[in-house]
Amino acid sequence: MRFNQFPSVYIVFLLFLTLILQACSVHQRIAKQLDKTFEKSAVVSQYPVGFALYDLEAGKMVYEKNSDKYFVPASNTKLFTFYAGLKMIPDSIPSLRYVIKGDSLIFWGTGDPSFLQTQLKGTKALEFLKNSKQQLFFAAGRYKGDSFGYGWAWDDYNDYYQAEINELPIMDNLVTVKAENGGLRIIPALFENCFILDSTIKTGNFKVKRNFDSNLFLYPRVPVGNSFRQELPYKINTVTTLNLLNDTLHKKVELVQMAMPVNAKTIHNLKTDSVLKLMMLPSDNFIAEQLLLVYANQLSAELNSQTAIAHIEKTYLSALPDKPVWVDGSGLSRNNLFTPRDIVILLRLIYEEVNDQKRLFSMLPAGGKSGTLKNAYPATDTPFVYGKTGTLSNVHNQSGYVLTKKGKIYIYSFLNNNFVLPTATVRKEMGRIVTQIHERY
């Protein structure tokens, strides 16, 4: 029988089989080459490394190295927080819950990080409170958790990246101190009287340090540089929150003890995409942690980050091959543990959920262009890597999408833990290997 006498269904089957065999042979070649790359690397041979590479179009894992082993993800954790936002608050951020009773407006926080956030400048909820004709009452108590996330380093309390967690964050939960006209400018100005000169320190660089358990800020008797700027977390308490509200609204806000009813209405603030983007590009820990409370707001009256995480894992992450150990929103905790293949599958779920490559890539750091990947790759007209980094002491990771010269999109997760090399050395080696994937495959 001649070939052209075969029924068309068999021809289609043979073509399909040929394509599969070709894809398999290409994947096998890539796997062999990457094996050699990792074997010959003088850098990654010095510490535990996990790597997974996934062909997005084929829907198949191409290469795995310790991909089923657990690693500390650092800020790769934000990818999980990002995906949860896409699923749970796809349009806009709920900022306040409220009820009106007679001449009183009673409101509750949702954890919304965009409320008066210095870059996002979310003011919709603020204007709602300002324009209300009712007497304002803040009902505290939805969040009963700790100021720090589980497993956070206590001695980072004075650093901007570890702002405290609460139900109604205001201005990033940070105090900004900067040089101005030979002195200091404090924002919010409410904290000006909390700054005290420590005359015992007369040498070294000018740096402000807050008392661990109070809003007492000490600064040394040394000159302030003209370019000085520092951001410090302020200590969260209900009185401080009320004072900041009064000062910002220019009207009286009183405290009331009242459980939030199920029929409480919601004021939304900013579009979700803008908040998720600001979390991802500079890797904003404050936004990540507060978003977990926003997700919890969608579930119950109590703002509990662990409740939110449990719901997200059960409802949206059943496709992951390994159960993650997920404890916070930002990745500050070393108690987080994820596998490279989990992160790869998560990135596939993100890609499918957004279903718009341009929109997705606009919210992620771009290699050589923006965010935490700006200095990891050379600047090019069109970036070829979009993803997320993650860094702690002795931890440096990178996961995302790599676009190749052959028009393919691969998802990768590259996790490096427990190294004693300079982070710059690890970053450079990751960049070299991912660039190789871009150029060859």
Side-chain angles (χ1 to χ4, degrees):
M1 182 181 290
R2 294 192 304 273
F3 180 76
N4 61 9
Q5 292 178 307
F6 274 87
S8 59
V9 65
Y10 291 109
I11 296 174
V12 171
F13 173 76
L14 288 172
L15 289 172
F16 180 68
L17 184 61
T18 301
L19 289 173
I20 290 176
L21 292 173
Q22 287 177 345
C24 288
S25 64
V26 169
H27 290 168
Q28 289 171 354
R29 175 174 58 83
I30 293 172
K32 287 181 180 179
Q33 289 177 349
L34 285 173
D35 249 340
K36 290 181 181 178
T37 297
F38 278 96
E39 286 175 5
K40 293 180 178 179
S41 172
V43 175
V44 300
S45 62
Q46 298 184 50
Y47 54 81
V49 60
F51 184 83
L53 186 69
Y54 183 90
D55 186 328
L56 183 59
E57 182 181 13
K60 185 177 180 181
M61 199 72 80
V62 177
Y63 179 75
E64 299 177 78
K65 179 178 177 62
N66 297 325
S67 72
D68 60 342
K69 301 295 188 294
Y70 286 87
F71 291 81
V72 175
S75 281
N76 272 206
T77 303
K78 292 184 180 74
L79 290 166
F80 286 74
T81 308
F82 180 85
Y83 180 58
L86 297 173
K87 300 296 288 187
M88 297 187 70
I89 47 169
D91 181 68
S92 54
I93 307 293
S95 189
L96 296 175
R97 305 290 297 276
Y98 74 97
V99 295
I100 295 176
K101 289 182 174 290
D103 62 354
S104 301
L105 187 153
I106 303 149
F107 63 96
W108 293 261
T110 64
D112 173 22
S114 69
F115 186 74
L116 293 179
Q117 204 268 352
T118 50
Q119 293 186 60
L120 293 167
K121 303 185 189 309
T123 59
K124 188 174 181 180
L126 177 76
E127 293 303 318
F128 170 75
L129 296 178
K130 268 188 175 182
N131 297 330
S132 173
K133 303 301 182 183
Q134 287 81 21
Q135 172 62 46
L136 301 180
F137 291 90
F138 171 51
R142 291 191 73 192
Y143 178 63
K144 296 181 174 63
D146 295 326
S147 299
F148 290 170
Y150 174 62
W152 286 10
W154 72 267
D155 54 344
D156 287 345
Y157 79 92
N158 201 64
D159 295 312
Y160 74 94
Y161 54 79
Q162 196 160 291
E164 296 188 0
I165 304 168
N166 72 326
E167 63 201 274
L168 187 60
I170 300 175
M171 300 180 185
D172 314 46
N173 286 350
L174 296 174
V175 176
T176 299
V177 191
K178 59 182 180 179
E180 188 173 277
N181 300 324
L184 294 177
R185 185 182 176 196
I186 314 299
I187 306 171
L190 182 71
F191 290 100
E192 285 179 353
N193 293 333
C194 300
F195 279 70
I196 307 295
L197 174 66
D198 184 350
S199 58
T200 64
I201 303 177
K202 302 177 182 179
T203 59
N205 295 327
F206 189 93
K207 183 179 181 181
V208 179
K209 187 168 184 179
R210 196 200 83 207
N211 274 10
F212 179 73
D213 55 1
S214 71
N215 283 319
L216 179 63
F217 299 85
L218 302 176
Y219 60 93
R221 190 187 289 275
V222 297
V224 183
N226 292 332
S227 61
F228 173 80
R229 180 187 177 93
Q230 186 181 352
E231 294 175 322
L232 307 93
Y234 61 79
K235 189 68 185 170
I236 300 293
N237 58 64
T238 303
V239 172
T240 298
T241 298
L242 279 178
N243 288 337
L244 284 168
L245 284 171
N246 290 331
D247 188 61
T248 305
L249 292 167
H250 304 296
K251 61 194 301 187
K252 183 70 172 177
V253 181
E254 297 186 39
L255 184 67
V256 66
Q257 296 296 321
M258 179 177 171
M260 189 182 75
V262 294
N263 64 342
K265 295 180 180 179
T266 302
I267 290 292
H268 290 77
N269 213 8
L270 294 179
K271 289 294 184 181
T272 299
D273 277 14
S274 63
V275 179
L276 292 179
K277 180 177 181 177
L278 189 61
M279 173 182 70
M280 297 301 282
L281 264 70
S283 200
D284 194 298
N285 297 327
F286 163 75
I287 292 176
E289 295 304 331
Q290 294 293 151
L291 280 177
L292 285 186
L293 300 193
V294 176
Y295 305 157
N297 171 75
Q298 305 296 86
L299 305 173
S300 68
E302 182 181 352
L303 301 183
N304 185 304
S305 58
Q306 296 309 307
T307 298
I309 287 172
H311 172 81
I312 296 160
E313 288 183 331
K314 180 180 179 181
T315 310
Y316 306 118
L317 298 178
S318 59
L320 299 185
D322 309 299
K323 182 173 175 53
V325 180
W326 182 14
V327 303
D328 71 5
S330 64
L332 276 171
S333 177
R334 292 178 183 270
N335 294 85
N336 292 302
L337 291 171
F338 302 150
T339 66
R341 65 184 185 183
D342 265 3
I343 295 177
V344 158
I345 298 304
L346 176 75
L347 285 162
R348 188 198 72 195
L349 293 173
I350 289 172
Y351 193 91
E352 293 169 351
E353 181 66 26
V354 176
N355 196 28
D356 181 337
Q357 186 182 109
K358 183 178 180 180
R359 176 189 164 210
L360 173 59
F361 288 176
S362 74
M363 291 190 282
L364 299 176
K369 181 179 181 181
S370 64
T372 53
L373 283 174
K374 183 175 182 178
N375 298 320
Y377 294 91
T380 55
D381 292 338
T382 303
F384 59 85
V385 174
Y386 297 86
K388 186 73 195 74
T389 60
T391 306
L392 294 168
S393 298
N394 315 111
V395 171
H396 190 53
N397 307 316
Q398 195 182 109
S399 301
Y401 309 90
V402 54
L403 285 58
T404 75
K405 289 184 174 180
K406 294 182 179 180
K408 299 277 289 182
I409 300 177
Y410 290 100
I411 301 174
Y412 72 98
S413 182
F414 203 148
L415 308 185
N416 306 271
N417 281 194
N418 300 330
F419 56 79
V420 293
L421 297 167
T423 298
T425 302
V426 177
R427 181 187 300 114
K428 183 178 180 180
E429 185 67 354
M430 274 200 297
R432 183 185 73 84
I433 293 173
V434 174
T435 299
Q436 174 182 302
I437 294 169
H438 159 70
E439 292 177 344
R440 293 184 181 179
Y441 310 136

